Amino acid sequence: MRLIVNGNETDVAAETFAELLLELGYEDMPVATALNMSAIRKKDRDTIRLKEGDRVEILVPMQGG
Amino acid sequence: MDPVQFYGVWVASRLLLGTAQYPSPAILADAITRSETDILTVSLRRESTGGSGGRDFWKLISALGRKILPNTAGCHSAKEAITTAEMARDVFDTPWIKLEVIGNADTLQPDVFGLVEAARELCAQGFQVFPYTTDDLIVAEKLLSVGCEVLMPWGAPIGSGKGLNNRFALKAMRAHFPNVPLVVDAGLGVPSHAAEAMELGYDAVLLNTAVAKAGDPVAMAEGFALAVKAGRLAYRAGAMEARDMAVPSTPVFGQAFV
């Protein structure tokens, strides 16, 4: 399935958010997630199912002022 | 120095420090230590492909044991800011959020309408909002009415280093909200700016660029820490009234040759 991940078209096999994080190599990173402009909490990542064309944001802690 | 309270949390330092733009992670860590700050601002960003910057940064920050104040920097709408805040709460495990809704990309001036809208929603969700705002008293009242318990007016545009652009307005804000924690956020360039804000009775200052872009960020961090302490002491001590004319400090009585 093709998703828009962090602004880039990405083909993935994952069907859930948790699987997507594994597939993209975020499994051991602290990440914040959103789907189609709505925040997705950690506890919901196993159950949220992805669909073609979904816009996904995966963000990490960074320097900030 | 007397401690200050934000949303029921007491902290010893009245200097809040940003974590961006430092020459290196080691200098960032040293500057944080030297500043004696208790509160650090951080952001959420996309990781570069194959990168580990986020993980490495978070490891460094976590090890320093400070309280974390995530921001919504770069958000240009209430919706973006609300979503970013929700994401930040999930990853940083804190109800604190430094709420920024930017209205203009050049001046980085807050969009105060979007700010109030986002603050209303986030406060309703249980967030403890630190709003980056202007020195407008009516906007401040709106922010308080929707649930904010801290106000963070700008001193000058973000990253400008200009100091307190509108001292009169900031003084009026202090007088108008005597019991609300007030933090001058943004625009400070040198320690005397921080001292000036503290002398006006501000409860704290938040800055980043002034330290990160200094020739020696670690020394500048200490400079700001000392200035914040000096300004706070001066405020509590009570400054003398300024006079238009000279008044001799040495007694006139007993003077020779008169």
Side-chain angles (χ1 to χ4, degrees):
Chain A
M1 143 171 73
R2 178 160 290 191
L3 307 176
I4 311 295
V5 179
N6 289 351
N8 298 313
E9 288 193 351
T10 308
D11 291 313
V12 299
E15 294 185 353
T16 68
F17 231 111
E19 290 169 4
L20 179 68
L21 294 178
L22 275 174
E23 185 174 337
L24 297 180
Y26 287 100
E27 68 274 14
D28 60 344
M29 294 181 72
V31 295
T33 49
L35 176 62
N36 299 326
M37 275 299 289
S38 294
I40 301 297
R41 307 185 97 172
K42 271 179 256 179
K43 65 183 179 62
D44 296 323
R45 287 177 195 156
D46 281 325
T47 53
I48 296 280
R49 300 193 73 79
L50 301 167
K51 61 181 188 305
E52 182 79 20
D54 274 345
R55 300 187 72 88
V56 170
E57 289 289 340
I58 303 170
L59 305 182
V60 297
M62 281 286 175
Q63 297 85 347
Chain B
M1 191 162 53
D2 57 318
V4 61
Q5 186 180 194
F6 300 117
Y7 289 102
V9 175
W10 289 95
V11 293
S13 172
R14 291 169 178 268
L15 171 60
L16 288 67
L17 193 62
T19 56
Q21 304 185 76
Y22 290 80
S24 72
I27 291 174
L28 165 63
D30 287 348
I32 290 168
T33 300
R34 191 83 77 88
S35 74
E36 299 179 3
T37 187
D38 292 305
I39 299 174
L40 298 173
T41 56
V42 300
S43 72
L44 283 175
R45 288 291 181 267
R46 295 169 174 171
E47 181 69 277
S48 57
T49 307
S52 62
R55 179 173 44 208
D56 296 344
F57 170 73
W58 187 234
K59 190 175 173 185
L60 181 150
I61 292 298
S62 300
L64 293 168
R66 278 13 185 227
K67 292 177 173 54
I68 299 301
L69 177 58
N71 70 27
T72 62
C75 292
H76 285 258
S77 70
K79 172 61 178 166
E80 284 178 23
I82 290 165
T83 301
T84 302
E86 292 169 339
M87 295 171 79
R89 178 169 61 180
D90 196 47
V91 73
F92 296 115
D93 197 26
T94 174
W96 284 9
I97 191 73
K98 180 190 170 190
L99 182 61
E100 298 183 29
V101 182
I102 299 301
N104 182 285
D106 291 328
T107 64
L108 301 182
Q109 182 165 354
D111 168 0
V112 294
F113 304 99
L115 182 68
V116 172
E117 181 187 345
R120 177 184 289 111
E121 169 64 22
L122 292 171
C123 289
Q125 287 191 32
F127 280 89
Q128 295 172 340
V129 176
F130 295 63
Y132 163 62
T133 184
T134 66
D135 47 35
D136 188 290
L137 294 182
I138 308 306
V139 172
E141 284 180 344
K142 297 285 185 192
L143 289 166
L144 295 174
S145 73
V146 300
C148 296
E149 296 180 15
V150 175
L151 296 171
M152 301 209 301
W154 62 354
I158 293 171
S160 68
K162 295 287 188 185
L164 307 185
N165 264 359
N166 194 339
R167 182 185 165 91
F168 170 79
L170 290 171
K171 203 170 173 182
M173 183 175 264
R174 179 69 286 176
H176 202 70
F177 304 109
N179 300 314
V180 177
L182 298 180
V183 181
V184 168
D185 173 15
L188 304 187
V190 287
S192 58
H193 295 156
E196 185 181 7
M198 298 304 292
E199 288 167 9
L200 290 179
Y202 275 71
D203 295 281
V205 298
L206 194 165
L207 55 99
N208 187 157
T209 311
V211 169
K213 291 297 187 185
D216 182 344
V218 180
M220 189 61 85
E222 183 175 357
F224 269 100
L226 293 169
V228 166
K229 288 177 186 171
R232 179 64 183 171
L233 284 171
Y235 173 70
R236 296 195 75 194
M240 64 166 281
E241 287 289 328
R243 298 158 171 161
D244 290 332
M245 300 296 290
V247 178
S249 50
T250 302
V252 175
F253 179 77
Q255 183 177 343
F257 315 122
V258 292

